[in-house]
Amino acid sequence: MNENTEEVMLDLLCKKAVSGLDEHEEKQLAELETQFGGVDQSQSFGLTVAAISMAHLDTSEPMPANLQSRIVAEANRYFEEHPASSAPPIAYASEPTKRGSMFDWLGWAVAAAACVALALNVFYTRQGTTIVQAPKPTPTPVEKLTPAQERQRLMETAPDLARASWGPGKMADLKPTGDVVWSDSKQAGYMRLSGLPKNDPSKETYQLWIIAENQDPKTPVDGGTFDINSDGEVIIPIDAKVKALNPQVFAITIERPGGVPVSKQEKVPALAKRET
């Protein structure tokens, strides 16, 4: 086949890959392909055009190492299945070389295009490809303890546990019972209470005060507000707003909703003194 015939076939392949051929051109291309041994070069050429088109995709995302390894393996497999024994060696010359047969370089171009198409298709579209990822570690479930369990754990682990027992305050009609446990090192503690009536949170709330050696007794440590909405014994975590060291007295007052920064101590239903 002469050079003009190769040019015609090349033009037809380009047109088929880009815009398609009419009936006459399809027939002409089929005849030329038959002369080249019946190999459907148009399909390979279409792959080349598609690969070149995709090669211009703009991305700043680096290719993952595991994907790069996969591409290399697929490329090696392609070259093993499609050896290019007729491809000329690559050389760098100062003088232009004479153009050889179109199929001297087309086999290499198709193989390279197949690798590019595989890489870009896997990396950008993920269509038809399963990327194996390392299994995510199973998160360790967080143990959810009840206030009673948290109180018990504090009692078992705190090396400096202090105790105080609840008794009546300035409201003689109330007979609260229970105790307080507190740890300076952990700055944590719990109230165990019974005998206090349920309160209406829209009208009032209970508030704890801690008289500690690091705080002026006139402005005791705010231990947080709480509501009682059930009969019987309740266990309430202490929410100290500042550090409380070596507490000696715990007092509960009844305040307006939300609590107060400093209590007038007009309603004190319960007091607890530290046990010696």
Side-chain angles (χ1 to χ4, degrees):
M1 180 174 291
N2 57 39
E3 185 172 332
N4 290 335
T5 304
E6 291 182 359
E7 291 288 353
V8 171
M9 185 172 182
L10 182 60
D11 290 340
L12 289 173
L13 287 171
C14 288
K15 186 175 181 181
K16 181 173 183 178
V18 175
S19 60
L21 303 177
D22 58 26
E23 183 178 352
H24 174 72
E25 291 167 334
E26 286 282 5
K27 183 178 179 180
Q28 185 180 11
L29 179 59
E31 293 175 353
L32 292 174
E33 287 176 341
T34 301
Q35 297 179 35
F36 276 81
V39 179
D40 185 4
Q41 298 291 341
S42 60
Q43 181 179 5
S44 297
F45 196 85
L47 177 60
T48 305
V49 173
I52 293 172
S53 176
M54 287 191 293
H56 288 84
L57 289 174
D58 182 21
T59 179
S60 58
E61 183 181 357
M63 185 175 294
N66 64 333
L67 178 58
Q68 183 178 2
S69 299
R70 183 188 180 98
I71 292 169
V72 171
E74 291 291 342
N76 290 334
R77 182 180 61 81
Y78 185 94
F79 282 115
E80 290 175 0
E81 295 176 357
H82 302 82
S85 57
S86 61
I90 298 174
Y92 298 92
S94 57
E95 297 295 331
T97 58
K98 182 179 180 181
R99 192 188 71 157
S101 171
M102 177 178 65
F103 293 107
D104 287 344
W105 55 263
L106 186 56
W108 280 105
V110 171
C115 294
V116 174
L118 173 64
L120 294 172
N121 189 50
V122 170
F123 188 55
Y124 295 115
T125 70
R126 303 292 200 273
Q127 294 179 355
T129 302
T130 301
I131 298 178
V132 178
Q133 297 180 348
K136 295 182 179 179
T138 303
T140 303
V142 178
E143 184 181 11
K144 182 66 175 178
L145 301 179
T146 66
Q149 291 171 326
E150 291 176 341
R151 175 180 177 273
Q152 183 63 33
R153 177 167 293 185
L154 178 68
M155 294 173 62
E156 294 171 351
T157 59
D160 56 350
L161 196 71
R163 291 177 178 268
S165 296
W166 288 114
K170 298 179 181 180
M171 302 174 69
D173 57 326
L174 297 179
K175 307 288 184 184
T177 59
D179 58 21
V180 180
V181 292
W182 174 263
S183 169
D184 274 7
S185 61
K186 295 179 180 293
Q187 285 295 295
Y190 292 87
M191 296 179 282
R192 185 166 60 94
L193 270 169
S194 60
L196 290 184
K198 290 184 283 187
N199 64 294
D200 183 352
S202 66
K203 296 179 180 180
E204 59 187 13
T205 188
Y206 291 104
Q207 190 164 0
L208 175 68
W209 303 96
I210 306 171
I211 300 174
E213 68 176 17
N214 65 315
Q215 190 77 6
D216 189 332
K218 295 180 180 180
T219 56
V221 175
D222 180 0
T225 61
F226 61 95
D227 298 313
I228 294 180
N229 51 25
S230 63
D231 296 322
E233 183 178 272
V234 294
I235 296 178
I236 302 165
I238 295 175
D239 181 20
K241 305 305 180 184
V242 297
K243 182 175 287 189
L245 298 177
N246 194 25
Q248 297 300 309
V249 178
F250 299 86
I252 295 175
T253 62
I254 299 176
E255 309 292 350
R256 64 174 181 263
V260 295
V262 179
S263 175
K264 296 179 180 180
Q265 299 186 14
E266 295 174 344
K267 296 181 179 181
V268 184
L271 285 171
K273 294 184 179 180
R274 181 169 179 165
E275 300 172 358
T276 56

